Amino acid sequence: MKPPHTTIALAVLLAAAAGVSAPAQRAPSAPPPDEEIVILSPFEVNSAKTTGYMAAEGATGTRYAAPIMEVPISVQAITSEFLEDFFLLDLAEVTAYTSGFIVNNNGGTDAFNVRGIRSYGTGTYRNGLKSDGIYGPVAVDRIEIVRGPNAAIYGATEPSGLRNIVTKNPTAKPFARIRLAAGTDDFYRVALDLNTPVTKRTLFTRFAYSVEESGQYLQDFTHYRRKNFYNATTWKIGPKTTFSYHLDYVWYRNQAQMAGSMPFVQAEVELPDASGGITAKDAIIGYFGSGLFQQYQNLNSSGRGASTEMEFTQLDANLTHQFSRWLSLRVLAGRIQRNQDILRSQGAGNYRDIYDPASGTIMRLTGMGPYGGSIYYYLSRGAGANGGTLGGVTIPQIERNRLTQTSVQADLLAQFNTGPLAHKLLLTADYSISDNTGRTRRSVVRDPSDATQLPGNPATWKTWNGAVTLNDSFWGDWSFTNPSFDYAFDFFNTEKWNHDQLWTEQQRITKGIMLSERISLFGNRLIAFVGGRHDEMSITLINHLQIAYDFNQAVPAIYAPGTQVRYPGDRADTFQSGLLYKLTPALSLYVNYSESFNPTSRTDGANRDFYHNPLPAQRGAGYEIGLKAALFDQRLNFTLTWFDTDKTKVPRVALDDDGYTRLPSYFGDTSNGFSYTNDINTRGVELDLNARPTPALSIIFALCYNEVSFTRVQNPTEQYLLNVPPDATPKWLGSLALTYKVGQGPLKGMNFRLGARYIGEQIVSNNAGTASVFGNSKYKAPYDSRYNDIGGRTYDRYYFENPAYILVEGGFGYGWRTGKTRHGASLNVRNLLNQKYMSGLRPGIPMSLILSYDITL
């Protein structure tokens, strides 16, 4: 039985608050005349409290500064020192050195897994405010990762946890740093960090800027460009009042794989039949990067013209004020603007190749086609520019996504004593409004001989004006079906891009209020934490292309395309509690229970029930038991945790037992389909350790083992999913980072570093349509006579998996001084062993070298 929810929790907290006696006021001793009066805000983390590469204090787990050793939650905080030493520029590289955290996509996107549960931006925060997951490296001071359900603190989030990027603040000491870097595959980067006081002791500002380009990818036709500008200013209005703002601007253009999953390869193969002969049968025989098709590992299946261009701006500001030693207020406000433009290719046609086992080649040129949500490529070895040819055509399409979000939050913190009990009582109210517009367009022409293609109605036209020969889209001359068509991103040119595939506008408003209490007993040896939160969300949706339905009334309402539809709002009450006991001053045992919720997006046509009404919010609940240590004068720190988390009401498109045919909804519609909701459980053990055995040596070690699988599947035709893990969820993740900085002797100034990451095997796709008699995993797909019965003989089908792999990186450097100027030169090597691997659903980065020089004035 679950613990009581918010009502009881709030009653307990209010009862405790009612017994408060007025705190004694003591006049502070006067500082020397020339000494600055500095009162550290209880919301402000002391960045000086670090050991090795891990911060000893954080604010993400509680919303106010607290020693990580005293928080009954699993929390890790990675400092900028680690990012700088290992030259880590992307979120995937940074978080790989914490337990159970793996990023699913490239190029600054926001999809990641924590403890085997995927998040699409719900768990991304910046300076304590909901953000969008775009990563700008010059702004980052540290990254705090809080695991477990924590909606009682932050509202909508995933049950696996969240990450909060804390950006750099200006300091009173002026400095300027320039870092130049160049490497293999056309890599270069220039970064500047300038900090200067504007007025003595009261006004400080900091500017940072970087520009970089890279071709360090395994795929052909890939290139990455990024610019990042950052400014932060702090104004100490008075000894108890501080105002600051942070402006972060990121622009990038990424030409890389954008398909929803890696393509699988299907061919006609010969297999033994029941009579001892052989029979021909269509079968999936692998995916890019494996087996016969390893030569196509470098293929960017989105086409060489595909790209994503992103422009992201976030401005946030905060005002903190201490009314007294026991009462403090912080007000936060933030604004996000994200503009995304995508040019990608989609498949057309569905053909077959013939595979000759004797010669080990594919004999006939054919094509490609969509299949079960993945793109299946039918390849042949021929006289192509890169040793192969692709048949059929591909269709270019352009997408334009716009997001704006405004957030306001107020935190009121009271710190007081009632007898032997020390209290921290936090009251938080927040409000957020986000507007998201998504639009996709293609180019079509009418075939006059087809009566179903009505004049004046492009929605009925089926001939694609911009179709490109598939082989040419990768290696050829890009010959178009219609030579007059210009393949360019000109979204509002209706003569070329005249067919809307998708056009929706969504507005989400979220309001929440939270009350939490932290009570310290027995001289801070026993710490209890309890909190409750109430959230209300409203969704407004405009679908410009499709009719909307509302079955939440006796007579179903039907809304014409373009009508603004306001759906019934979601409400959520979430609860969180924790208990931490200090076995010794350096060793703590903790346990917690917490809950989460996550509203399902209304913009996706598949996120509807059988009647096309929006699905309910996803829910989560989890337990943790852990041990925290700060031993040997904090030179050895670790957190060891056991966790068990459920995520319920997870939407999944309702498919037939073939694994790719959508089941019809109430209206007989399969183009958008509908979704059933399923449940997922993840449980396991994780260890995060950092140590500094000597002043010269720093160590980070992380290890996670988790079992994650579907525990309830509502769709009767998809019961094969039970006890099968979701896609891209390895059971084992581990990492080790070592740094040695020589402080004396003939090698003084030298530094050496080595990092290793282990990523366990993971299933590529648990869609039944991607299973095969050639599947290489241990997970068996359900029986289907169309695929299992071959020549009178029954074969088992299995899913495909990416094998486990280890990535090694490292480098060395030398630092020296000339007067007051500091210099540094460094060589970093990524993928030192040149491991060929699949990073989730995409090919990984090959071995690369980066040489850098920095100077600090």
Side-chain angles (χ1 to χ4, degrees):
M1 181 176 180
K2 293 182 177 180
H5 285 70
T6 310
T7 304
I8 297 178
L10 296 182
V12 172
L13 298 179
L14 292 174
V20 177
S21 58
Q25 301 292 324
R26 293 182 301 172
S29 58
D34 59 344
E35 183 176 325
E36 179 185 0
I37 300 176
V38 177
I39 299 179
L40 193 64
S41 164
F43 300 102
E44 185 179 354
V45 171
N46 188 345
S47 59
K49 294 182 178 180
T50 60
T51 302
Y53 287 131
M54 295 292 180
E57 195 173 75
T60 304
T62 55
R63 283 191 183 267
Y64 50 80
I68 292 176
M69 272 290 295
E70 297 182 0
V71 177
I73 306 171
S74 177
V75 180
Q76 279 76 45
I78 307 172
T79 64
S80 57
E81 181 186 359
F82 178 69
L83 277 62
E84 292 288 343
D85 285 351
F86 276 80
F87 205 81
L88 303 178
L89 301 177
D90 293 304
L91 180 65
E93 299 172 334
V94 176
T95 54
Y97 288 95
T98 64
S99 64
F101 198 114
I102 182 171
V103 174
N104 299 109
N105 290 321
N106 298 330
T109 54
D110 55 5
F112 56 86
N113 277 6
V114 182
R115 293 178 173 175
I117 294 180
R118 184 170 299 182
S119 170
Y120 290 97
T122 308
T124 59
Y125 287 78
R126 187 178 308 230
N127 295 328
L129 289 172
K130 183 75 175 176
S131 188
D132 194 50
I134 308 302
Y135 188 77
V138 300
V140 179
D141 180 61
R142 67 184 184 277
I143 299 176
E144 298 182 355
I145 298 174
V146 180
R147 294 180 174 83
N150 39 51
I153 300 177
Y154 282 96
T157 188
E158 293 289 350
S160 54
L162 61 86
R163 66 166 172 83
N164 180 35
I165 294 177
V166 181
T167 59
K168 297 174 180 176
N169 281 314
T171 66
K173 184 178 180 180
F175 66 84
R177 185 185 186 194
I178 300 174
R179 193 170 197 181
L180 309 175
T184 55
D185 297 308
D186 301 322
F187 175 89
Y188 82 86
R189 184 172 188 262
V190 178
L192 170 67
D193 191 355
L194 175 63
N195 180 85
T196 180
V198 178
T199 60
K200 187 178 181 180
R201 298 180 180 177
T202 58
L203 187 62
F204 317 95
T205 191
R206 185 171 185 172
F207 296 91
Y209 176 78
S210 70
V211 57
E212 65 189 273
E213 291 199 21
S214 177
Q216 293 179 342
Y217 297 93
L218 189 64
Q219 294 176 324
D220 296 323
F221 322 120
T222 56
H223 200 78
Y224 186 68
R225 305 170 183 86
R226 178 169 59 188
K227 299 177 183 178
N228 186 192
F229 171 80
Y230 177 73
N231 172 232
T233 297
T234 297
W235 177 24
K236 293 186 177 182
I237 301 174
K240 297 182 180 181
T241 307
T242 302
F243 171 81
S244 64
Y245 74 80
H246 312 86
L247 173 64
D248 194 11
Y249 172 84
V250 182
W251 173 92
Y252 72 78
R253 180 179 174 85
N254 187 25
Q255 294 171 260
Q257 173 79 27
M258 291 185 295
S261 64
M262 280 301 295
F264 289 78
V265 178
Q266 180 170 332
E268 188 173 282
V269 298
E270 294 180 344
L271 294 168
D273 59 21
S275 62
I278 59 173
T279 185
K281 180 69 175 181
D282 284 344
I284 302 168
I285 62 175
Y287 57 96
F288 284 170
S290 65
L292 175 66
F293 298 93
Q294 194 163 1
Q295 65 166 325
Y296 295 102
Q297 186 181 56
N298 294 9
L299 183 64
N300 176 0
S301 61
S302 296
R304 65 185 172 104
S307 66
T308 297
E309 186 170 313
M310 185 79 74
E311 186 177 41
F312 171 84
T313 305
Q314 175 163 331
L315 174 64
D316 63 74
N318 70 80
L319 176 69
T320 61
H321 178 71
Q322 290 186 263
F323 298 101
S324 64
R325 288 185 177 274
W326 68 276
L327 187 63
S328 303
L329 173 69
R330 177 178 62 178
V331 179
L332 301 171
R335 171 79 172 180
I336 289 174
Q337 176 71 49
R338 187 198 69 187
N339 301 328
Q340 182 185 44
D341 295 322
I342 298 176
L343 178 60
R344 74 168 88 225
S345 299
Q346 296 292 336
N350 193 358
Y351 308 98
R352 297 184 305 172
D353 284 320
I354 295 177
Y355 170 62
D356 179 10
S359 62
T361 61
I362 302 175
M363 303 299 293
R364 188 178 59 193
L365 171 68
T366 54
M368 65 174 273
Y371 192 80
S374 302
I375 297 179
Y376 284 69
Y377 284 78
Y378 303 86
L379 312 172
S380 69
R381 292 183 178 178
N386 284 353
T389 57
L390 302 170
V393 295
T394 183
I395 303 163
Q397 70 178 33
I398 53 178
E399 303 170 24
R400 189 173 188 268
N401 304 307
R402 298 292 183 265
L403 169 70
T404 58
Q405 177 177 293
T406 302
S407 303
V408 180
Q409 173 185 309
D411 298 313
L412 184 64
L413 177 65
Q415 304 177 82
F416 53 89
N417 296 333
T418 56
L421 306 182
H423 302 263
K424 285 190 177 182
L425 185 65
L426 178 67
L427 176 64
T428 293
D430 50 49
Y431 174 89
S432 176
I433 179 171
S434 63
D435 292 279
N436 198 333
T437 300
R439 194 170 182 181
T440 301
R441 310 191 77 187
R442 289 182 175 180
S443 178
V444 299
V445 294
R446 175 175 175 260
D447 181 0
S449 64
D450 186 348
T452 64
Q453 299 186 30
L454 305 177
N457 187 0
T460 65
W461 299 355
K462 300 176 183 178
T463 303
W464 303 102
N465 188 25
V468 183
T469 302
L470 185 59
N471 194 67
D472 290 341
S473 72
F474 299 105
W475 300 312
D477 297 327
W478 254 3
S479 300
F480 299 107
T481 304
N482 182 345
S484 65
F485 183 80
D486 181 17
Y487 194 1
F489 200 96
D490 188 8
F491 192 88
F492 291 104
N493 188 329
T494 56
E495 294 182 0
K496 297 175 181 177
W497 305 103
N498 57 5
H499 177 60
D500 280 303
Q501 292 286 106
L502 171 74
W503 187 4
T504 60
E505 297 180 57
Q506 175 182 268
Q507 183 180 86
R508 174 180 292 175
I509 298 176
T510 303
K511 297 175 286 185
I513 186 168
M514 182 266 288
L515 185 63
S516 70
E517 165 78 303
R518 178 185 183 270
I519 305 174
S520 301
L521 305 88
F522 310 121
N524 205 38
R525 189 164 186 178
L526 180 64
I527 299 173
F529 176 85
V530 62
R533 182 181 171 100
H534 176 76
D535 286 273
E536 296 185 0
M537 299 139 288
S538 62
I539 299 288
T540 301
L541 179 66
I542 301 176
N543 192 324
H544 292 271
L545 305 180
Q546 295 179 359
I547 294 173
Y549 303 89
D550 183 3
F551 278 79
N552 292 292
Q553 46 191 305
V555 179
I558 302 177
Y559 303 97
T563 303
Q564 185 181 75
V565 181
R566 184 176 298 276
Y567 291 99
D570 282 334
R571 295 187 178 187
D573 293 315
T574 49
F575 174 80
Q576 184 168 25
S577 60
L579 193 65
L580 182 142
Y581 179 69
K582 291 185 178 180
L583 302 171
T584 70
L587 195 63
S588 302
L589 180 67
Y590 75 92
V591 60
N592 70 57
Y593 168 83
S594 51
E595 299 172 342
S596 70
F597 73 95
N598 180 16
T600 302
S601 172
R602 272 38 171 184
T603 58
D604 185 353
N607 287 337
R608 303 284 194 274
D609 64 15
F610 184 70
Y611 301 104
H612 279 199
N613 281 319
L615 292 172
Q618 302 170 50
R619 296 282 181 165
Y623 299 86
E624 281 185 16
I625 299 175
L627 184 67
K628 295 188 177 186
L631 306 172
F632 308 113
D633 196 23
Q634 297 190 358
R635 292 196 300 272
L636 174 63
N637 303 270
F638 70 81
T639 301
L640 177 65
T641 308
W642 173 86
F643 59 88
D644 189 333
T645 304
D646 291 303
K647 182 178 181 180
T648 62
K649 303 184 184 301
V650 181
R652 181 180 170 99
V653 176
L655 301 176
D656 203 348
D657 55 12
D658 60 11
Y660 61 87
T661 302
R662 294 188 175 189
L663 295 177
S665 66
Y666 175 84
F667 307 97
D669 175 27
T670 60
S671 59
N672 290 310
F674 71 100
S675 294
Y676 282 117
T677 59
N678 305 316
D679 297 346
I680 296 174
N681 174 264
T682 179
R683 63 182 65 184
V685 179
E686 61 191 14
L687 171 66
D688 284 273
L689 178 149
N690 76 92
R692 183 162 280 180
T694 70
L697 179 63
S698 294
I699 303 171
I700 290 181
F701 177 75
L703 183 67
C704 178
Y705 173 81
N706 68 283
E707 294 272 0
V708 56
S709 62
F710 288 95
T711 55
R712 185 188 70 91
V713 178
Q714 187 180 3
N715 186 356
T717 67
E718 292 186 294
Q719 295 303 302
Y720 58 84
L721 288 173
L722 284 172
N723 302 316
V724 173
D727 305 341
T729 54
K731 286 186 178 181
W732 286 98
L733 285 169
S735 61
L736 174 66
L738 305 171
T739 303
Y740 189 81
K741 298 182 178 180
V742 183
Q744 57 186 357
L747 296 180
K748 181 180 179 179
M750 292 292 296
N751 60 83
F752 304 89
R753 52 198 169 274
L754 180 68
R757 293 178 270 162
Y758 174 83
I759 296 89
E761 61 271 5
Q762 52 189 294
I763 193 170
V764 178
S765 172
N766 57 29
N767 191 311
T770 63
S772 169
V773 296
F774 295 95
N776 63 342
S777 77
K778 67 179 181 180
Y779 297 103
K780 186 185 297 186
Y783 171 80
D784 189 322
S785 60
R786 294 170 294 178
Y787 308 114
N788 292 75
D789 294 341
I790 302 173
R793 179 177 175 180
T794 299
Y795 289 82
D796 289 331
R797 292 188 305 147
Y798 294 86
Y799 301 108
F800 290 92
E801 73 177 12
N802 291 327
Y805 59 93
I806 297 177
L807 297 179
V808 179
E809 56 194 346
F812 60 89
Y814 177 68
W816 70 97
R817 287 179 177 269
T818 57
K820 295 183 178 181
T821 302
R822 289 182 295 166
H823 306 262
S826 179
L827 175 67
N828 288 274
V829 185
R830 297 177 181 171
N831 195 358
L832 181 63
L833 305 180
N834 201 24
Q835 173 75 52
K836 299 253 187 319
Y837 66 99
M838 301 290 289
S839 177
L841 304 173
R842 300 176 182 177
I845 295 176
M847 184 179 71
S848 58
L849 305 177
I850 297 177
L851 181 64
S852 64
Y853 166 75
D854 60 88
I855 179 172
T856 303
L857 305 173

